[in-house]
Amino acid sequence: NGTIINNLRSLPKTVEEMSEDQFKYHVKKGKNDFSNWIDEIIGYKELAKELRKAKSKKTFLAKLKSKIDSLKKIAG
């Protein structure tokens, strides 16, 4: 939908708001634009690897939100 994601915190809301078709465009067998962005731009290889395993929007969001919540706890 043309939304620009500037940081990891904004990614869950953006994914929640996109349709299943939009999500499947970005995340499908052999392609995961979000994981690639997290790996290559953010540099968070562990999270990118976990998100590549997610095959559904629901699972993707659960893993993403869980990791962001744990990072918030660490940052205090």
Side-chain angles (χ1 to χ4, degrees), residues 21-66:
D21 286 342
Q22 288 171 322
F23 180 78
K24 288 177 183 177
Y25 173 82
H26 291 285
V27 179
K28 56 188 170 189
K29 187 174 181 170
K31 177 182 177 179
N32 190 319
D33 293 331
F34 303 119
S35 291
N36 292 341
W37 176 73
I38 290 168
D39 186 3
E40 297 167 12
I41 305 302
I42 304 296
Y44 197 171
K45 296 186 181 306
E46 176 188 334
L47 177 57
K49 183 178 176 181
E50 279 301 307
L51 293 176
R52 281 189 189 100
K53 296 175 189 176
K55 303 301 178 203
S56 71
K57 183 176 168 180
K58 182 179 178 180
T59 303
F60 183 93
L61 280 168
K63 289 180 181 224
L64 179 60
K65 288 178 178 182
S66 175

Side-chain angles (χ1 to χ4, degrees), residues 3-28:
T3 301
I4 297 173
I5 303 166
N6 294 317
N7 57 59
L8 193 56
R9 287 184 312 253
S10 66
L11 183 56
K13 183 177 188 275
T14 301
V15 172
E16 285 173 342
E17 292 174 350
M18 67 177 47
S19 70
E20 280 295 323
D21 286 342
Q22 288 171 322
F23 180 78
K24 288 177 183 177
Y25 173 82
H26 291 285
V27 179
K28 56 188 170 189

